[in-house]
Amino acid sequence: MKQSCEYNRLLEELGALGVCGGDVVLVHSSMKALGTSLTPDEVIDCLQAAVGEEGTLLFPALTYENVNQAHPVFHSPTTQPCIGLLPRVFWQRPGVERSENPTHSVCAWGRLAHRLTVSHAMDNTPVGPHSPFMLLPGGGGQAAVYWRGAPCLHLYARH
């Protein structure tokens, strides 16, 4: 029951931050900094519930430590993200699409997942005009959020 209360609290906090159904949200977060007893899957479930079926949830799935001179091959289905537990869990979930970039890929779930990730391979740089990083803010506002006393959750949201 404790996890259920924590889940509901997290969902309420996301709502207080302005996250609502239909939003497109890029999350760059640390499980440790979130200070939650929830599992990574439960945190992701909560984020998906907050944006709803009409929204889109994205996580950076950077691989700059795993794709390098010694290991120069990036393979979207098998190259593990190197930037944290949430992206490593999110990347493997059903319905998640991943952009094709050897160092700065992005994983997305939801209504706009394909549209935001499909053209990233067209860029000559990691954050080019076709990258999810560049496509996302063009459609609306952005906010950097300090949550639970730490700069641990950065949201870029479009309504």
Side-chain angles (χ1 to χ4, degrees):
M1 213 55 183
K2 181 180 178 192
Q3 287 187 337
S4 178
C5 291
E6 181 71 9
Y7 179 95
N8 290 333
R9 183 174 73 125
L10 177 58
L11 197 56
E12 287 174 13
E13 289 177 0
L14 288 166
L17 292 172
V19 177
C20 59
D23 280 355
V24 180
V25 178
L26 172 66
V27 178
H28 183 54
S29 183
S30 160
M31 278 296 294
K32 182 178 178 182
L34 286 176
T36 182
S37 62
L38 297 174
T39 67
D41 275 313
E42 290 168 327
V43 169
I44 293 166
D45 288 344
C46 190
L47 288 162
Q48 288 177 322
V51 300
E53 291 183 15
E54 290 300 310
T56 305
L57 180 63
L58 302 95
F59 279 88
L62 310 184
T63 56
Y64 55 83
E65 289 181 355
N66 302 331
V67 179
N68 51 44
Q69 199 167 21
H71 304 283
V73 177
F74 169 77
H75 185 236
S76 185
T78 60
T79 304
Q80 187 176 68
C82 67
I83 62 161
L85 188 55
L86 286 171
R88 286 195 311 267
V89 171
F90 184 68
W91 158 66
Q92 298 287 339
R93 289 172 62 113
V96 171
E97 297 192 37
R98 187 177 191 180
S99 69
E100 294 286 335
N101 183 278
T103 59
H104 287 69
S105 64
V106 174
C107 292
W109 168 90
R111 188 172 60 87
L112 298 178
H114 185 72
R115 182 174 141 215
L116 291 171
T117 58
V118 70
S119 60
H120 199 177
M122 295 171 56
D123 290 328
N124 293 325
T125 63
V127 187
H130 301 98
S131 76
F133 298 109
M134 295 302 286
L135 295 174
L136 183 61
Q142 62 181 351
V145 179
Y146 291 84
W147 193 26
R148 293 187 181 172
C152 61
L153 180 66
H154 304 280
L155 300 173
Y156 299 90
R158 172 175 47 198
H159 298 277

